[in-house]
Amino acid sequence: MTFTLMGIPGLESQHLWLSLPFFSMFLAILIGNSAVLFLVITEPTLHTPMYLFLALLMVTDLISTLTLMPKVLCLFWFNDRDIASSACFTQMFFIHGASVVRSALLVAMAFDRFVAVCEPLHYNTILSHSLVGRLGLLAVAKGVILILPMPLLLQRLTFCHRVIPHTYCDHMAVVKMACSHTRPNRIYGLFVILLVVGLDLLLIGFSYALILQAVVRLNSRDATFKALNTCSAHLFVILVTYVPALFSSVTHRIGQNIPPHAHILLSNLYLLLPSVLNPIIYGMKMKEIRVKVTKCLCRGSK
């Protein structure tokens, strides 16, 4: 069975022009995330829990982008719309799985910031490399366990329609192609969203409530500023990740008056924007990364 990806409905004639910002974002993601990942791997001074979590986040962003963008660019440039059902379900698994893993890593990074602010003397003891590894494996396991049932449940459906009005195999977009009973698929999709976004945001909020409580008790203004600055990059990444995700999810379910092309553009933006901005945010906010990048540039100019 083969599906056909429509691309961006209503803007098919503009696909070539739309490929320019998409390709620019693709290049920015590859260069930015690879550069930060290379720095973390090659610099022993960056082998700390915070930067190891950041490296895992960069890997997740690269996997998500490399699963999404080649097919999108082929669609825009060569009008290559067909995708086999097995390839479609595989793409769905990796794209949605990467989103779950990214969310779980943000929870782990919130825990890292909590320990850094509230238990600075025991930071290296609590957040050992083995614990970072276990939390990373837990994030991957969460992504696999929660997303694997999606393509498995889809395989039992009968599809009356084969043209998917999307640039990639989004779960809800594929579910709408079926003419058989899809309630289990819809309920499970909503369950995953509520569990991932709801529970993860609750845990992040709890961590930051404890951080704020600890910051309020600080008497020194400099100590307060330093504590808040420690968390600023992570807070920016949380906003960049969850705000587009929530907006895309809500409009997909209840935004009946929003044009189809706006839905599709939002869905793509939700996947690409965090991956574009994460290296920039951490590059600007993290002094260690700024210093290492400056040294590399100075070394290259000599």
Side-chain angles (χ1 to χ4, degrees):
M1 188 176 64
T2 303
F3 290 110
T4 301
L5 294 167
M6 189 186 292
I8 301 177
L11 298 177
E12 289 90 345
S13 60
Q14 306 299 319
H15 276 175
L16 197 59
W17 290 109
L18 285 167
S19 71
L20 295 176
F22 273 79
F23 183 64
S24 300
M25 285 191 285
F26 184 44
L27 281 181
I29 290 166
L30 291 181
I31 294 168
N33 286 272
S34 299
V36 173
L37 191 59
F38 176 77
L39 278 176
V40 174
I41 291 170
T42 56
E43 290 290 340
T45 55
L46 297 182
H47 293 176
T48 60
M50 178 176 64
Y51 288 106
L52 292 175
F53 282 130
L54 179 60
L56 292 172
L57 189 66
M58 300 294 115
V59 170
T60 305
D61 286 345
L62 285 170
I63 290 171
S64 175
T65 303
L66 290 170
T67 307
L68 170 72
M69 286 307 298
K71 185 60 185 176
V72 173
L73 291 174
C74 284
L75 192 156
F76 286 168
W77 288 340
F78 311 115
N79 204 32
D80 181 12
R81 298 169 182 266
D82 292 343
I83 183 168
S85 59
S86 57
C88 181
F89 295 157
T90 303
Q91 186 192 53
M92 179 193 303
F93 171 75
F94 278 103
I95 287 174
H96 292 311
S99 297
V100 174
V101 173
R102 183 189 294 122
S103 183
L105 287 173
L106 289 177
V107 175
M109 293 168 86
F111 175 66
D112 168 80
R113 294 300 82 205
F114 161 72
V115 177
V117 173
C118 300
E119 297 288 344
L121 298 177
H122 304 289
Y123 179 74
N124 291 323
T125 308
I126 296 171
L127 277 164
S128 61
H129 284 189
S130 62
L131 179 61
V132 172
R134 287 198 295 271
L135 290 173
L137 285 173
L138 192 64
V140 173
K142 183 181 178 183
V144 172
I145 291 167
L146 286 179
I147 300 302
L148 189 58
M150 285 184 176
L152 295 178
L153 284 170
L154 283 170
Q155 287 179 352
R156 69 175 184 82
L157 299 178
T158 303
F159 293 94
C160 301
H161 310 284
R162 302 290 172 86
V163 180
I164 303 172
H166 217 301
T167 53
Y168 65 91
C169 290
D170 176 70
H171 176 249
M172 282 305 299
V174 177
V175 167
K176 289 177 181 177
M177 298 298 102
C179 49
S180 51
H181 187 58
T182 62
R183 180 173 287 182
N185 304 74
R186 292 172 183 272
I187 290 173
Y188 187 74
L190 189 60
F191 164 74
V192 170
I193 288 172
L194 292 174
L195 181 66
V196 172
V197 178
L199 182 61
D200 288 357
L201 276 178
L202 187 67
L203 292 171
I204 290 170
F206 182 67
S207 294
Y208 274 97
L210 294 174
I211 288 170
L212 193 61
Q213 189 179 39
V215 167
V216 168
R217 291 174 182 168
L218 295 173
N219 296 322
S220 168
R221 183 177 293 181
D222 289 340
T224 303
F225 176 77
K226 187 177 179 181
L228 292 174
N229 192 53
T230 301
C231 304
S232 58
H234 184 244
L235 284 170
F236 279 124
V237 169
I238 289 168
L239 289 173
V240 165
T241 301
Y242 286 111
V243 170
L246 287 169
F247 193 65
S248 174
S249 179
V250 169
T251 55
H252 202 74
R253 282 168 169 78
I254 62 173
Q256 303 299 327
N257 297 323
I258 297 176
H261 66 265
H263 280 296
I264 309 308
L265 287 170
L266 273 172
S267 295
N268 285 274
L269 198 63
Y270 138 65
L271 289 173
L272 295 172
L273 192 63
S275 302
V276 172
L277 295 179
N278 285 351
I280 298 170
I281 292 168
Y282 277 100
M284 289 173 61
K285 299 299 293 182
M286 295 300 184
K287 183 182 176 183
E288 293 89 344
I289 291 180
R290 289 202 309 270
V291 169
K292 299 299 179 186
V293 169
T294 305
K295 281 184 179 178
C296 288
L297 291 174
C298 291
R299 200 181 301 148
S301 62
K302 288 181 182 178

